[in-house]
Amino acid sequence: MSRQGGVVEINFDGLVGPSHNYAGLSLGNLAATKNAGETSFPRAAALQGIAKMRGNMETGLAQGFFLPLPRPNTGWLEALAADASTDAALVAGAWSASSMWTANAATVSPAGDTADGKCHLTVANLVTMPHRSHEWPDTLAQLQVAFGNKDHFVVHGPVPPCFGDEGAANHMRFAPSHAEPGLEVFVYGRSGGPFPARQHEQASRIVARSHGLERALFVEQNPEAIAAGAFHNDVVAVANEAVLFTHELAFADPAATYDAIRQACPGVQVVEVPASAVSLADAVKSYLFNAQLITPPSGEMTLVIPTESWETPPVRSWLEGMLASNGPIRHVKPVDVRQSMANGGGPACLRLRVVADPATIDPRFMLDDAKASLIEGVVGQYWPEQIDPADIGEESLAASIRLARGKLLETLELEALA
Ligand code: SUG
């Protein structure tokens, strides 16, 4: 499908913010917990993310981006009556750059799937994790600008807070091709052993109803997968057009899930990785399924995986076998997003998919080579090189983080979102 004109899939990546750090705030996210207290490298993190976007643009895909949110969020800390003397974790939460994982920004239903023929977006409330629960107001403000064209988009506020909603990370879409009407599959959790099930069934149903979906399915995540560290379904499964790439243990009832998908969307092919080839532990550690499964204009479906997957021997041998077979996934492309990976965010976490005509989106949120270079320039000059978790809360660092974001907004002519 051509990049110019018409309805295509656009990946909106989160630019990694200048406060990127390893505070270990996400219970159930094994990488984030393991790396708690490590020194982070915000500048390198942001450049890795931009390099990933450039790689996808080179294959001919349309690319957009979202801005980092204002951090530290002092208004949130004031509302909680918290400071470093009372609760260091809340202070770290106010500094978190977690909005970079835009798969959690919103749930998106393309125009072809909805009753009113418009593309609907619901900002995710992210209520399960305190450090993520204050993202939505600023994310919503951004969505309202980027998708402000009311002839084509409807932007919804969050699902009421008693129901946890994590956005597109627990949502898949199947269609013969992106521009055609599709089936939307919402994956919710009921229990996750020692870890929280972040996506609630009611939240999924509320989103589906308010988007006016013609075809929707609701399926349960395997509690064993959540307990193994798959805090979002996109850690164990990914869909693209008529292909589901999934771990055998992703869903509570895999056979019934595949059948229901195939029944509602005939022609779907399931590429299932058995636990005997890649254990759940290796799937979570390597983030094999947190890949971007993309269809470049060549039509040859490509799996954009984190380097860590390629370096995990059972995963690599499974992928090599897959490539040698005649399956629907024709290419595998490793990318280095190590800074994000160390917080449990792979290539798929870093992007929100929107199926729409790029011409209907505010052009300030669309990326091309020249703009990528401009952003790299601002990152190179203003993003902190490193952050030690002990620096969190320091006023001089806060000032440089604010300055960095301000310079980015100025460069992109998006000061209105200051
Ligand atoms: O919510 N990590 C994020 C990672 C999100 C990944 N997204 C998807 N799977 N779509 C999270 O757990 C770590 C931040 C910290 O611990 O400081 C964090 O928020």
Side-chain angles (χ1 to χ4, degrees):
M1 201 166 293
S2 140
R3 190 177 156 181
Q4 259 80 41
V7 171
V8 294
E9 179 179 272
I10 311 161
N11 287 283
F12 284 82
D13 281 41
L15 293 173
V16 179
S19 68
H20 161 64
N21 69 81
Y22 299 125
L25 300 173
S26 268
L27 176 68
N29 173 338
L30 304 184
T33 308
K34 176 170 163 256
N35 292 304
E38 293 291 323
T39 298
S40 64
F41 295 89
R43 191 182 303 163
L47 295 176
Q48 286 170 0
I50 298 167
K52 171 171 93 76
M53 288 193 263
R54 280 190 185 278
N56 285 341
M57 286 195 294
E58 276 160 23
T59 69
L61 294 183
Q63 182 70 52
F65 61 88
F66 292 137
L67 301 169
L69 304 186
R71 294 290 177 266
N73 187 347
T74 45
W76 186 64
L77 279 182
E78 274 161 29
L80 300 174
D83 62 23
S85 70
T86 52
D87 197 321
L90 289 179
V91 174
W95 283 60
S96 181
S98 51
S99 69
M100 69 168 88
W101 299 296
T102 52
N104 306 116
T107 306
V108 185
S109 296
D113 302 355
T114 66
D116 64 3
K118 294 186 186 182
C119 175
H120 287 244
L121 299 98
T122 293
V123 70
N125 65 25
L126 297 170
V127 290
T128 307
M129 292 291 153
H131 69 290
R132 305 214 62 181
S133 67
H134 61 105
E135 287 176 30
W136 74 260
D138 291 304
T139 300
L140 180 60
Q142 217 168 146
L143 296 176
Q144 283 166 336
V145 177
F147 307 103
N149 184 334
K150 294 198 166 52
D151 292 338
H152 296 277
F153 298 101
V154 181
V155 177
H156 300 260
V159 163
C162 45
F163 305 112
D165 179 23
E166 300 277 319
N170 278 60
H171 174 256
M172 305 185 291
R173 177 172 190 267
F174 297 92
S177 69
H178 293 305
E180 290 174 76
L183 163 72
E184 300 199 12
V185 179
F186 293 79
V187 189
Y188 58 86
R190 280 217 170 104
S191 70
F195 301 141
R198 297 199 202 179
Q199 180 72 34
H200 298 180
E201 179 178 356
Q202 279 302 351
S204 298
R205 291 188 182 273
I206 293 164
V207 172
R209 285 197 296 270
S210 54
H211 288 193
L213 293 183
E214 309 276 354
R215 277 186 291 164
L217 263 180
F218 302 89
V219 300
E220 191 194 341
Q221 263 177 293
N222 184 353
E224 208 189 314
I226 301 175
F231 52 94
H232 291 135
N233 181 63
D234 70 2
V235 173
V236 279
V238 59
N240 179 53
E241 296 182 326
V243 174
L244 170 62
F245 178 54
T246 181
H247 191 273
E248 182 186 4
L249 300 175
F251 306 105
D253 187 343
T257 300
Y258 307 155
D259 280 352
I261 292 172
R262 286 198 200 102
Q263 210 171 359
C265 189
V268 166
Q269 293 186 67
V270 178
V271 180
E272 186 193 70
V273 181
S276 58
V278 176
S279 65
L280 255 186
D282 275 343
V284 170
K285 188 167 75 107
S286 71
Y287 262 40
L288 166 62
F289 299 94
N290 201 257
Q292 286 186 260
L293 187 54
I294 55 175
T295 309
S298 69
E300 302 212 331
M301 218 177 267
T302 302
L303 192 68
V304 180
I305 55 166
T307 329
E308 287 82 346
S309 290
W310 207 233
E311 290 167 350
T312 303
V315 172
R316 178 138 177 190
S317 53
W318 193 87
L319 285 171
E320 283 170 348
M322 178 194 78
L323 288 173
S325 76
N326 204 19
I329 303 173
R330 303 310 311 145
H331 303 280
V332 170
K333 188 174 147 196
V335 291
D336 176 2
V337 287
R338 287 184 195 279
Q339 281 291 307
S340 169
M341 282 286 286
N343 247 340
C349 297
L350 285 162
R351 61 92 178 96
L352 181 71
R353 292 178 284 187
V354 178
V355 170
D357 180 345
T360 60
I361 292 163
D362 187 314
R364 290 174 296 179
F365 290 89
M366 296 301 298
L367 195 68
D368 58 22
D369 277 340
K371 205 184 281 184
S373 300
L374 274 179
I375 298 173
E376 282 164 344
V378 176
V379 167
Q381 194 173 349
Y382 294 101
W383 258 233
E385 192 182 345
Q386 62 182 74
I387 296 183
D388 186 305
D391 303 336
I392 291 171
E394 247 182 43
E395 196 36 53
S396 60
L397 182 59
S400 60
I401 288 166
R402 286 192 201 101
L403 175 73
R405 183 174 181 274
K407 292 287 177 191
L408 179 71
L409 267 54
E410 201 182 299
T411 305
L412 298 171
E413 295 174 21
L414 281 165
E415 293 97 326
L417 290 164

